Amino acid sequence: MERLNDRRVVEPSGITANGIRKWGMFLLAASVIGRSIIQLRIFGVGSATGEELLAIMEQDQKMMYLAAISVILQACEACAAAIFSFLMVEGVLKTSDMKAYVIRVAGVAILSEIPYNLAFSGKWIDLSGRNPVFGVLIGLVMLWFYKSFPGFKGTNLLYKVAATFGAYLWCSMLNVSNGICVLFIALTMWAFQKKQQFRVYAAAVAAVLCSVISPVYLIAPVACLLLHSYNGEQGESNKVVNYMSYPVMLIVIT
């Protein structure tokens, strides 16, 4: 009698890309609450620097607690930046239509701009900086060049250097929130794309180096613990929810 094989569908262990995205949106929501509600509406300082938060903490005990919470929520934003840098790299590696991917992200960046200004400055138009989705958009274009011109020989290397320098200039000129840090972490992950374990460790080191720009990035390697559990699967997702979550979040907070 022939014995039948037991063919059971075994779910991969770990967390999917969609699961990581949900954690990223949770951390992003926490940072939006900290900057928009605590810093802007309670402290009246908009995006507070470390020195401003220390000055606030010296006023009274109640303000000290709120300022401490604000610092923690800023750290959530740094963790979210690391997560979305990872998702950006994964998206470029696995997408079948890079052009459509870039167009979708560009649409989200544009839709988010006015709600972002209202949430963080109280103005409809604020030319002092752009929302962080523009950083993802610029990073996508940079990685598109990396993917289109593989290797480091001849003109391909020149194209990559030009794309990297151009991305840095655009993030600097537009003053994109967390833009340069997102670029640096994404670039590091791309460099280690074929070495999954080293990629996470390299991203953690890159996040720590970003603390030169913003000290809260010292906490960002915590997000790499989540990335370490990535199982390589996309997971069930809804594109409308994925792309519209951030602008809707900003509108609700506003």
Side-chain angles (χ1 to χ4, degrees), residues 177-253:
S177 177
N178 294 290
I180 293 176
C181 293
V182 166
L183 288 181
F184 183 56
I185 296 172
L187 186 156
T188 304
M189 288 186 178
W190 184 270
F192 287 89
Q193 61 180 277
K194 295 181 180 179
K195 299 180 180 179
Q196 297 295 323
Q197 298 302 321
F198 286 110
R199 179 173 65 164
V200 175
Y201 299 139
V205 173
V208 171
L209 292 176
C210 286
S211 64
V212 174
I213 298 174
S214 176
V216 295
Y217 272 87
L218 288 172
I219 308 298
V222 173
C224 295
L225 297 175
L226 182 67
L227 303 181
H228 186 73
S229 302
Y230 177 53
N231 61 15
E233 300 291 327
Q234 174 62 35
E236 295 183 5
S237 62
N238 184 305
K239 284 187 177 180
V240 175
V241 173
N242 290 344
Y243 285 99
M244 294 305 296
S245 295
Y246 186 60
V248 170
M249 178 199 307
L250 293 172
I251 292 171
V252 171
I253 292 295

Side-chain angles (χ1 to χ4, degrees), residues 21-227:
R21 181 179 290 104
K22 289 177 180 177
W23 274 103
M25 290 307 302
F26 171 77
L27 292 167
L28 200 55
S31 71
V32 169
I33 291 172
R35 289 179 60 189
S36 179
I37 296 179
I38 297 179
Q39 293 184 20
L40 179 62
R41 301 181 189 180
I42 297 178
F43 294 158
V45 294
S47 183
T49 63
E51 292 77 10
E52 288 173 326
L53 288 175
L54 286 174
I56 291 169
M57 291 173 73
E58 293 175 356
Q59 293 179 15
D60 57 57
Q61 193 174 44
K62 181 180 179 180
M63 288 297 182
M64 179 181 70
Y65 292 142
L66 286 173
I69 292 172
S70 180
V71 171
I72 293 172
L73 295 180
Q74 280 192 18
C76 289
E77 184 175 20
C79 291
I83 287 174
F84 285 104
S85 297
F86 170 81
L87 292 173
M88 177 172 58
V89 172
E90 280 295 294
V92 173
L93 289 173
K94 296 183 177 181
T95 186
S96 58
D97 191 342
M98 189 66 195
K99 182 178 179 180
Y101 186 18
V102 170
I103 291 173
R104 288 195 296 269
V105 173
V108 175
I110 294 170
L111 285 174
S112 301
E113 186 62 15
I114 290 179
Y116 178 85
N117 292 338
L118 291 172
F120 297 137
S121 68
K123 304 175 183 177
W124 285 84
I125 299 176
D126 185 1
L127 300 179
S128 63
R130 303 278 74 79
N131 74 76
V133 185
F134 278 101
V136 176
L137 175 61
I138 294 169
L140 280 178
V141 175
M142 180 184 75
L143 296 182
W144 192 354
F145 272 87
Y146 288 1
K147 188 176 183 179
S148 301
F149 302 99
F152 296 93
K153 294 182 179 179
T155 57
N156 283 12
L157 176 60
L158 295 177
Y159 285 135
K160 287 183 176 181
V161 171
T164 304
F165 185 63
Y168 169 78
L169 285 180
W170 274 107
C171 278
S172 298
M173 289 188 298
L174 296 176
N175 194 21
V176 179
S177 177
N178 294 290
I180 293 176
C181 293
V182 166
L183 288 181
F184 183 56
I185 296 172
L187 186 156
T188 304
M189 288 186 178
W190 184 270
F192 287 89
Q193 61 180 277
K194 295 181 180 179
K195 299 180 180 179
Q196 297 295 323
Q197 298 302 321
F198 286 110
R199 179 173 65 164
V200 175
Y201 299 139
V205 173
V208 171
L209 292 176
C210 286
S211 64
V212 174
I213 298 174
S214 176
V216 295
Y217 272 87
L218 288 172
I219 308 298
V222 173
C224 295
L225 297 175
L226 182 67
L227 303 181

